[in-house]
């Protein structure tokens, strides 16, 4: 097919945008975007639209397929590594997720969305820690916070692991306190902060926060970790 015979993908994109505006059937719009990719496989807009639609349906395998092909044509596009890694993670394939994120963070530049970079490093840290690669996990958490210092999930996880593994408790306390101030009713944040205080033998203070954690735990089945921590704290406070 020469240039004169090649379909005008720009025109097809305008058509797809119009169809979206008119709220036409999503399957019809997806078919058009797939046709665009068949003609122009490096079309970022069309591929990202299809990824987002598969994401809404929680079709993780389709997300991975779209992203895997996407990085072949757009190897510097961070979004593909991010979606692929998260899709693998949600599909319980931690090795696939770690591979996607490891390849993705290499593409980070000063123009990268900080939240995207932070989230990738944060999930990497969680996976590495689960694999007992603790030093690498902590390095990932540090990178996560470099890109977004208020990444609450990272702050909580990093602080808790430090408290469990004989790390810097003052650093853990500082990170955990940020999460409590940001989300004062979050059970996990309150539990982590209470436990860090407990590990510093500040038992009365820890009791204040574990009480708050228990009050805010509204699940039908109470959090077993919170209850265990509460038992230890109550024992030390008589």
């Amino acid at each position: 097919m020469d240039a004169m015979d090649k379909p005008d993908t720009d025109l097809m994109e305008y058509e797809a945008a119009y169809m979206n505006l008119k709220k036409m059937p999503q399957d019809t719009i997806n078919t058009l975007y797939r046709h665009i990719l068949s003609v122009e496989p490096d079309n970022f807009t069309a591929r990202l639209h299809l990824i987002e639609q598969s994401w809404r349906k929680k079709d993780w395998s389709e997300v991975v397929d779209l992203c895997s092909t996407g990085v072949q044509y757009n190897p510097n596009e961070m979004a593909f590594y991010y979606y692929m890694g998260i899709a693998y993670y949600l599909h319980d394939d931690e090795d696939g997720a770690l591979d996607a994120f490891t390849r993705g963070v290499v593409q980070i530049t000063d123009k990268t969305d900080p939240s995207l970079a932070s989230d990738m490093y944060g999930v990497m840290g969680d996976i590495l820690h689960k694999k007992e690669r603790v030093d690498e996990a902590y390095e990932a958490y540090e990178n996560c916070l470099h890109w977004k210092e208020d990444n609450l999930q990272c702050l909580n996880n990093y602080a808790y692991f430090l408290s469990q593994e004989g790390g810097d408790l003052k650093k853990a306390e500082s990170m955990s306190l940020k999460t409590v101030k940001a989300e004062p009713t979050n059970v996990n944040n309150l539990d982590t902060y209470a436990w860090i205080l407990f590990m510093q033998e500040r038992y009365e203070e820890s009791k204040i926060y574990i009480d708050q954690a228990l009050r805010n735990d509204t699940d039908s089945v109470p959090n077993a970790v919170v209850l265990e921590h509460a038992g230890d704290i109550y024992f030390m406070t008589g």
Side-chain angles (χ1 to χ4, degrees):
M1 179 183 292
D2 59 33
M4 294 296 292
D5 297 325
K6 184 178 178 181
D8 187 343
T9 53
D10 288 341
L11 186 60
M12 286 190 278
E13 284 188 58
Y14 290 137
E15 183 181 353
Y18 177 79
M19 293 165 71
N20 269 311
L21 184 64
K22 292 297 183 180
K23 301 187 184 302
M24 295 179 67
Q26 196 60 57
D27 288 345
T28 303
I29 302 172
N30 290 350
T31 298
L32 180 55
Y33 276 123
R34 289 189 183 283
H35 181 58
I36 292 173
L37 284 184
S38 71
V39 175
E40 191 176 86
D42 62 343
N43 188 297
F44 174 76
T45 302
R47 189 173 298 280
L48 188 61
H49 173 89
L50 291 171
I51 290 170
E52 290 172 347
Q53 292 304 311
S54 296
W55 192 272
R56 289 193 180 98
K57 294 187 292 184
K58 298 183 179 181
D59 188 344
W60 310 129
S61 296
E62 179 68 9
V63 171
V64 168
D65 288 343
L66 285 163
C67 291
S68 297
T69 306
V71 297
Q72 295 176 28
Y73 292 99
N74 303 96
N76 299 323
E77 184 48 65
M78 287 287 300
F80 293 149
Y81 297 102
Y82 173 79
Y83 280 115
M84 177 163 49
I86 296 295
Y88 271 129
Y89 189 66
L90 294 173
H91 199 52
D92 297 323
D93 184 347
E94 293 180 344
D95 290 331
L98 188 58
D99 175 70
F101 290 138
T102 301
R103 288 187 289 142
V105 296
V106 176
Q107 309 300 330
I108 293 175
T109 70
D110 56 359
K111 296 180 180 178
T112 300
D113 178 355
S115 294
L116 195 69
S118 179
D119 285 347
M120 290 180 75
Y121 274 119
V123 181
M124 277 183 71
D126 293 343
I127 296 171
L128 288 165
H129 191 273
K130 190 172 181 180
K131 290 179 174 292
E132 299 183 352
R133 294 160 61 178
V134 176
D135 289 343
E136 292 174 80
Y138 288 173
E139 182 180 354
Y141 287 144
E142 290 288 347
N143 282 316
C144 172
L145 296 175
H146 166 76
W147 284 99
K148 192 171 185 288
E149 62 182 14
D150 61 345
N151 187 313
L152 298 181
Q153 181 170 338
C154 176
L155 286 168
N156 180 72
N157 291 352
Y158 193 5
Y160 185 70
F161 292 143
L162 283 174
S163 73
Q164 291 288 85
E165 293 156 3
D168 185 340
L169 289 178
K170 287 299 180 184
K171 179 177 181 176
E173 180 187 348
S174 175
M175 290 191 294
S176 182
L177 182 57
K178 290 179 182 178
T179 71
V180 171
K181 288 181 176 179
E183 298 177 341
T185 62
N186 185 296
V187 175
N188 290 329
N189 296 348
L190 291 164
D191 172 64
T192 295
Y193 190 58
W195 188 247
I196 292 168
L197 294 174
F198 176 84
M199 294 298 292
Q200 297 178 82
E201 301 182 3
R202 292 157 63 183
Y203 303 127
E204 293 298 335
E205 290 176 81
S206 69
K207 183 177 181 299
I208 293 171
Y209 290 95
I210 203 66
D211 284 345
Q212 291 181 39
L214 290 170
R215 281 197 299 270
N216 285 283
D217 190 357
T218 57
D219 289 346
S220 56
V221 178
N223 187 308
V225 174
V226 176
L227 290 175
E228 182 180 354
H229 288 168
D232 291 340
I233 293 168
Y234 291 156
F235 180 82
M236 295 306 295
T237 55

